[in-house]
Amino acid sequence: MNKRIRSFSATLSSVFLTLLGLTIVTFMIGRVMPVDPVIAAVGDNASESVIAQARIEMGLDQPLIVQFFRYLWQLLHGDLGMSILTRNPVSTDIARFFPATLELATAALLLSAAIGIPLGVWAAVRQGKFVDQAIRVVCLAGHSVPVFMLSLISLLIFYATLGLAPGPGRQDVIFDGMIDPVTGLLTIDTLIAGDWDAFRDAVAHMAQPVCILAYFSMAYITRMTRAFMVDALKGEFVITARAKGLSASTVIWSHAFPTGAVQLVTVLALTYAGLLEGAVVTETVFSWPGLGQYLTVSLMNADMNPVVGATLLIGLIYVGLNLIADLLYRVLDPRVR
Amino acid sequence: MLVDIQNLRIAFESRSSRFEAVRGISLSLGAEKLGIVGESGSGKSLTARALMKLLPSNAAITADRLSFDGIDVLSASEKQMRQIRGKRAGFILQDPKYSLNPVMNIGRQVSEAWRTHKGGSKKQALEAAIHLLDQVKIRNPREVAASYPHEVSGGMGQRVMIAMMLAPDPELLIADEPTSALDATVQAEILRLIEELVSERNMGLILISHDLPLVSHFCDRVAVMYSGRVMEELKASELLNARHPYTKGLLNCMPSLTHPRDRLPVLNRDASWLTA
């Protein structure tokens, strides 16, 4: 027990150090950019005295270390500064854009894991057979076809030609502003409001980007699952399990799979983090108002506060998901407890 | 006859080559203890695995007869084999470090073997598992049942393996080098335990090993294998009177504490053994 507490506190302190590093890096990004935040704030045409005045007001005349602690202090109060482009506090913007990405990423992860894991297991069990080769080809295509191409083809077929899917965006114009943003996740908000039409509309809008994102994640998850399972199936304990007279499905799912599942946790965590980062290309093609788009548009306009804020959030996601994966490891594998 | 093997051949095929690892073995076994000895690669393990149909899929098995208690193993379906595996024939592997599932606790692994063939609730199965662990002389069966394979010693792991394989009361136990991964002092303990349990339950035993004196001590009969064939089969008590030059050679190159020699002889292999 004591050992467990000690290893847990070791994990926590490493998380703390990572977070500290993350704040230093994001702080530095804001300082080394060739964009003067003062001029960005007051405009190009401001007079010398206004600029000097603003510089003092923004605390940019202070030494770097002082600025860093000010930055930390603001962070701890949830203050990420203002966005010049949207004229909103960055935290408000992120609270508006992030749920769109969260919704997309979560749906894509669930879909890709639900398909990718069984597919990977199947490929491993039928290693070298036709099924394995077929799955390999499907995954290879997932890795190698560019996202924007797949997205555009999908829009062309299902939206423009067949009219089966709705166009880009998160919802139809008629539902705009009709749903109270409680969680920011449209599928859940529409359910809370009890508006079935709006729910169907939200799901329909998600279908295409989710499927395309899921396809790419699935390709990765399938290949990794296959690799872990091929390894696990070689284990002597699989022979033992078969010698016990267990059915093939029991041998595969309750003996071979759990030993590989441990490694799968990391794969899923990293996939989820990658998806949450905001798939810029997919979000752009589908006009999805998510984090990736927010970050890119801000960057293009040299609007540094949102860039730093979004980077910080993405960093936090990675740290958080790694922490969860780490804790899950302990639950799933008795050898690392 | 519990096990009847006539002219068993096992070959591994790839696209370009074919290698025959077992070349026409015939063995039979009742409720007795048969030892199979031979050097690495002589086909001992493959023969045992063929009987349980646990060979990799690229192995081609042919035989005039390969039967377990009258059931033709070669033509048996996977479903029929599952009625033999575990239930009627147990199989103990070499190293418990690898042959036990690392992420499942010992109680669950043993109770699973019991429950698969005897049914009953999980709780009953766990009680049965603890009783079995007690039978293989584990002093604190409850504690061991709650622990994981990496938390117990090799000898303890092999006891767990034995308990697991004896759970459904099989008629035959195949032990594939059950003690090679263990310390010398533990080896004798484990073999004595296997011997005791097998005699108590009047089971058949196939003990695979490369340790000639050990096998002759614990078995009724010994089959000596070399390069996929049985060179000689004889009563364990008559091992010292072996006629085949290979068996004699094997016995001759064993170091002895009571009659030390400066230099051990080298085993001469004769190509004619393979064609005979």
Side-chain angles (χ1 to χ4, degrees):
Chain A
M1 201 61 209
N2 212 348
K3 197 175 141 206
R4 228 183 262 189
I5 292 170
R6 213 175 314 144
S7 82
F8 185 69
S9 55
T11 311
L12 277 188
S13 56
S14 87
V15 165
F16 176 77
L17 282 178
T18 317
L19 287 179
L20 187 67
L22 181 65
T23 50
I24 293 174
V25 169
T26 50
F27 172 77
M28 291 317 262
I29 291 175
R31 306 299 131 163
V32 298
M33 279 289 169
V35 179
D36 190 337
V38 179
I39 295 179
V42 296
D44 286 338
N45 302 325
S47 66
E48 287 288 328
S49 61
V50 173
I51 291 176
Q53 182 66 29
R55 192 176 299 278
I56 293 168
E57 265 172 34
M58 292 169 82
L60 293 173
D61 55 334
Q62 307 276 334
L64 263 188
I65 187 76
V66 177
Q67 289 186 35
F68 177 66
F69 281 109
R70 260 177 68 127
Y71 168 73
L72 267 188
W73 184 249
Q74 285 174 347
L75 275 188
L76 289 175
H77 290 83
D79 181 5
L80 296 168
M82 298 290 285
S83 161
I84 297 161
L85 208 63
T86 63
R87 305 202 172 282
N88 287 326
V90 171
S91 48
T92 315
D93 275 348
I94 286 179
R96 204 155 52 91
F97 286 107
F98 184 61
T101 296
L102 183 65
E103 196 170 31
L104 211 58
T106 309
L109 182 81
L110 292 178
L111 187 65
S112 57
I115 299 173
I117 294 173
L119 222 52
V121 171
W122 194 21
V125 172
R126 295 254 175 277
Q127 195 190 346
K129 303 271 165 59
F130 176 75
V131 176
D132 184 24
Q133 308 290 2
I135 291 173
R136 189 197 307 270
V137 171
V138 170
C139 289
L140 199 66
H143 273 301
S144 31
V145 181
V147 204
F148 66 87
M149 198 168 107
L150 215 57
S151 309
L152 288 174
I153 291 173
S154 164
L155 271 178
L156 185 70
I157 295 176
F158 295 105
Y159 169 57
T161 311
L162 297 176
L164 285 174
R170 274 184 96 187
Q171 57 184 157
D172 264 352
V173 191
I174 26 167
F175 297 109
D176 203 19
M178 279 177 61
I179 306 296
D180 270 345
V182 185
T183 58
L185 306 170
L186 267 181
T187 42
I188 294 180
D189 285 348
T190 51
L191 282 181
I192 292 174
D195 189 336
W196 285 101
D197 286 334
F199 174 72
R200 260 194 296 276
D201 178 64
V203 171
H205 273 91
M206 275 172 70
Q208 282 189 91
V210 163
C211 285
I212 283 165
L213 285 177
Y215 182 37
F216 288 88
S217 315
M218 184 210 79
Y220 178 58
I221 292 173
T222 305
R223 281 175 43 139
M224 296 311 272
T225 309
R226 181 186 178 279
F228 299 147
M229 276 304 280
V230 164
D231 253 11
L233 286 169
K234 277 190 206 139
E236 285 278 288
F237 64 90
V238 171
I239 302 273
T240 307
R242 290 181 65 202
K244 277 157 92 173
L246 303 177
S247 68
S249 66
T250 313
V251 173
I252 292 164
W253 289 106
S254 45
H255 283 270
F257 184 69
T259 54
V262 181
Q263 292 150 292
L264 206 55
V265 168
T266 313
V267 171
L268 290 179
L270 287 179
T271 308
Y272 195 35
L275 285 166
L276 282 173
E277 205 174 295
V280 180
V281 179
T282 318
E283 286 183 1
T284 308
V285 175
F286 287 98
S287 309
W288 197 266
L291 192 66
Q293 255 206 32
Y294 180 60
L295 184 59
T296 325
V297 172
S298 304
L299 197 60
M300 301 285 189
N301 290 283
D303 191 359
M304 284 322 289
N305 280 340
V307 173
V308 170
T311 310
L312 195 64
L313 176 66
I314 291 167
L316 273 177
I317 289 167
Y318 270 91
V319 173
L321 283 172
N322 267 320
L323 180 64
I324 292 173
D326 210 57
L327 296 179
L328 271 178
Y329 251 77
R330 278 158 226 252
V331 176
L332 290 174
D333 194 338
R335 287 166 296 185
V336 295
R337 265 175 218 159
Chain B
M1 198 58 59
L2 201 51
V3 174
D4 194 0
I5 302 174
Q6 295 292 331
N7 194 23
L8 172 71
R9 288 172 185 276
I10 303 171
F12 289 91
E13 283 164 345
S14 70
R15 222 165 285 165
S16 54
S17 66
R18 179 186 159 90
F19 175 74
E20 200 166 51
V22 173
R23 314 165 190 213
I25 279 185
S26 299
L27 285 170
S28 61
L29 178 84
E32 59 184 325
K33 286 168 279 187
L34 171 71
I36 303 182
V37 288
E39 43 192 305
S40 302
S42 60
K44 326 182 280 286
S45 296
L46 286 176
T47 306
R49 286 184 190 207
L51 187 60
M52 303 277 277
K53 243 187 173 174
L54 286 174
L55 290 172
S57 56
N58 61 337
I61 317 174
T62 56
D64 293 345
R65 183 149 67 238
L66 180 64
S67 69
F68 177 87
D69 197 24
I71 305 165
D72 182 21
V73 170
L74 276 185
S75 66
S77 66
E78 191 59 16
K79 206 175 163 190
Q80 282 172 303
M81 281 317 294
R82 273 175 25 218
Q83 290 305 308
I84 296 176
R85 288 183 203 139
K87 191 175 188 179
R88 306 193 60 191
F91 190 62
I92 293 170
L93 286 92
Q94 184 170 343
D95 192 344
K97 214 188 304 165
Y98 303 109
S99 55
L100 293 172
N101 187 330
V103 300
M104 194 187 267
N105 77 32
I106 286 168
R108 248 190 85 195
Q109 294 193 47
V110 178
S111 62
E112 186 187 39
W114 193 84
R115 201 162 168 243
T116 303
H117 300 288
K118 297 202 158 181
S121 71
K122 282 193 175 166
K123 212 173 161 190
Q124 276 176 321
L126 186 62
E127 283 310 312
I130 288 167
H131 181 63
L132 278 158
L133 291 176
D134 185 52
Q135 281 187 325
V136 293
K137 302 191 172 130
I138 289 175
R139 252 173 264 126
N140 42 353
R142 268 171 211 282
E143 264 169 62
V144 171
S147 45
Y148 286 87
H150 71 281
E151 294 167 330
V152 302
S153 67
M156 180 85 85
Q158 208 56 301
R159 284 169 199 269
V160 169
M161 191 76 183
I162 294 167
M164 190 158 79
M165 287 309 169
L166 291 181
D169 294 318
E171 296 136 71
L172 172 71
L173 187 66
I174 302 172
D176 187 356
E177 309 215 17
T179 57
S180 326
L182 307 177
D183 291 339
T185 47
V186 187
Q187 284 190 358
E189 259 173 58
I190 294 292
L191 278 177
R192 219 167 304 142
L193 178 71
I194 291 178
E195 208 267 317
E196 216 177 288
L197 291 166
V198 164
S199 305
E200 225 170 69
R201 294 160 182 240
N202 199 22
M203 294 165 60
L205 171 71
I206 297 178
L207 178 63
I208 296 168
S209 173
H210 48 238
D211 193 333
L212 257 176
L214 199 79
V215 164
S216 64
H217 191 260
F218 283 101
C219 295
D220 306 324
R221 277 190 304 140
V222 178
V224 182
M225 282 186 69
Y226 172 67
S227 189
R229 289 160 196 269
V230 175
M231 292 287 114
E232 189 171 20
E233 201 185 320
L234 66 175
K235 276 194 180 148
S237 52
E238 289 167 10
L239 191 67
L240 291 175
N241 310 324
R243 276 187 304 271
H244 197 281
Y246 179 65
T247 320
K248 279 189 189 164
L250 281 181
L251 288 168
N252 197 29
C253 57
M254 264 184 317
S256 161
L257 277 177
T258 46
H259 305 284
R261 286 180 287 185
D262 285 346
R263 193 181 274 251
L264 287 173
V266 175
L267 188 63
N268 286 312
R269 296 174 174 82
D270 193 335
S272 68
W273 299 344
L274 299 182
T275 49

